[in-house]
Amino acid sequence: MRDKGDFLFTSESVSEGHPDKVADRISDTVLDAFLAADPYARVACETLVTTNRIILAGETRGPETITAEYLSHLARLAVHDIGYDQEGFSWRNAEVECHLHAQSVDIAQGVDSVGNKDEGAGDQGIMFGYACRETEALMPAPIYYAHLILRRISELRRNRDVSAAGLLPDAKSQVTLRYVDGKPIGATSIVVSIQHTPDLEQVEIRRMLWPIVESSLPRGWMCPEAQFYVNPTGKFVIGGPDGDCGLTGRKIIVDTYGGAAPHGGGAFSGKDPTKVDRSAAYACRYLAKNVVAAELAESCTLQLSYAIGVAQPLSLYVDLGGTGHDVDEVRLERVLRELVDLRPQGIREHLQLNRPIYAPTSAYGHFGREPDAELGTFTWERTDLVPALRAAFGR
């Protein structure tokens, strides 16, 4: 996204009931089950969901107590928690197939720490992190508010609030913001598509959603009434996996920065933290957020790259986009390497990633969330590097 100038920018979010997010939730539930039994288990779980069918596939290495029957049970519990008990997709009677098998020994020998060999990256690849001053969470405003709208609708639905009566789990939002001199000043259009019971009319759904959306935005940011689009197709009764097949890892832009920053291409859900697609992307966000929180820059884009089986990152790149406050980017790269061990094992230990903390990440974004010290979730959102960064640059 441009740092200066006048422009419009749009991001979308999807709810936990969107078919792809149902798949992400199940995959992360499987991952959490393995990590709860063995913090060093290996998991790469893909999920497919469609009309009354759930299919698990992928590779694992962990305790034999984690059986196919147990994972099928957990998949049903995840669907129940999301809220699906519909004719075309129900936690009660959906058929669950489990095709998980042992991790490839070729991959394992490159990743495992043996003798004097450090633990290597679980795959090659590039990962990006980003932070900016557009919101208190140091996230781009369009994706932040797109997530917030759906989270508030979900909370009302889950709490059986009368203001959300008849609304069902599957939903999408899209927020377009106007930027003036590089700063967001308000919404020009907002789209919300949400599954609903057959008895609800479109005019009623629109009336229900307007105050929820308006209260999710800063005061005065609501779009004109004519640009508030609700279920543009006319109705949305058939939804969730019954209306559209869902797969793990198909919402990677929703999961990250809404298109406001680069993405390396790797999905997160269902992958244990030896997979740098996930852990290094979390580390990138952690570093970028701390740079901005330390007031070294207004925005920060950060890239890491790895080779499978190699511990040390091949590169670390920092781009402050011309917003740095007398900060040399090359020196900043060096300081960040000194502050955090960016080997896969170093990231896992620094951010405490070998724990069952991943199901909450599967919807409404992996970034911009509040860290929870009690649950140990979203540790990559901490800003504990700020004092050291400020000291390194004499602030």
Side-chain angles (χ1 to χ4, degrees), residues 70-368:
Y70 179 56
L71 295 178
S72 297
H73 170 67
L74 292 180
R76 292 185 189 280
L77 291 182
V79 172
H80 177 268
D81 183 65
I82 292 168
Y84 277 114
D85 192 12
Q86 302 169 12
E87 183 179 353
F89 192 71
S90 171
W91 66 274
R92 300 174 190 272
N93 52 28
E95 180 181 347
V96 184
E97 300 177 31
C98 185
H99 301 284
L100 292 164
H101 59 82
Q103 183 187 49
S104 161
V105 294
D106 291 346
I107 294 176
Q109 70 180 0
V111 176
D112 290 345
S113 175
V114 179
N116 294 324
K117 175 186 174 298
D118 284 340
E119 176 187 292
D123 202 352
Q124 72 176 51
I126 57 175
M127 301 84 207
F128 287 93
Y130 182 70
C132 64
R133 293 205 169 276
E134 293 181 13
T135 62
E136 290 185 2
L138 303 185
M139 285 288 288
I143 188 66
Y144 179 82
Y145 292 113
H147 285 322
L148 185 57
I149 288 167
L150 292 185
R151 288 183 70 183
R152 289 194 170 170
I153 295 171
S154 175
E155 288 168 3
L156 293 170
R157 177 183 63 81
R158 285 172 170 273
N159 292 333
R160 302 185 185 280
D161 193 288
V162 65
S163 64
L167 301 183
L168 298 176
D170 194 357
K172 300 178 75 172
S173 67
Q174 185 170 287
V175 174
T176 300
L177 297 184
R178 180 179 299 280
Y179 284 72
V180 174
D181 195 26
K183 299 183 183 301
I185 63 167
T188 60
S189 65
I190 294 175
V191 184
V192 180
S193 296
I194 187 161
Q195 186 187 14
H196 58 90
T197 55
D199 57 295
L200 271 185
E201 298 291 335
Q202 291 301 108
V203 64
E204 178 65 9
I205 298 170
R206 182 185 180 89
R207 184 195 66 77
M208 295 164 66
L209 292 180
W210 178 276
I212 300 173
V213 173
E214 185 177 34
S215 65
S216 300
L217 301 172
R219 185 181 298 274
W221 275 36
M222 187 61 180
C223 65
E225 188 172 351
Q227 276 68 56
F228 181 51
Y229 302 97
V230 175
N231 289 356
T233 63
K235 67 175 183 178
F236 187 3
V237 173
I238 301 173
D242 186 32
D244 192 10
C245 178
L247 294 170
T248 301
R250 287 208 302 195
K251 288 292 177 284
I252 59 177
I253 298 302
V254 170
D255 286 343
T256 53
Y257 307 103
H263 192 294
F268 302 155
S269 288
K271 295 178 181 178
D272 75 75
T274 66
K275 280 73 170 174
V276 284
D277 275 344
R278 183 169 216 160
S279 56
Y282 290 174
C284 285
R285 163 64 178 174
Y286 175 63
L287 296 178
K289 183 176 183 180
N290 275 270
V291 167
V292 175
E295 300 181 337
L296 301 183
E298 297 301 300
S299 69
C300 177
T301 302
L302 191 145
Q303 184 204 60
L304 284 169
S305 69
Y306 291 85
I308 188 169
V310 178
Q312 290 290 348
L314 305 183
S315 65
L316 167 62
Y317 167 77
V318 175
D319 180 8
L320 303 181
T323 71
H325 302 308
D326 299 318
V327 173
D328 178 75
E329 290 161 331
V330 174
R331 182 174 173 231
L332 178 57
E333 292 166 359
R334 192 163 55 246
V335 169
L336 292 173
R337 278 185 177 266
E338 293 169 356
L339 290 177
V340 179
D341 179 359
L342 294 174
R343 297 174 303 159
Q345 182 176 347
I347 293 171
R348 289 192 296 102
E349 292 175 352
H350 190 94
L351 297 179
Q352 300 172 288
L353 298 180
N354 283 102
R355 295 175 297 162
I357 57 173
Y358 296 102
T361 70
S362 61
Y364 310 116
H366 293 244
F367 307 128

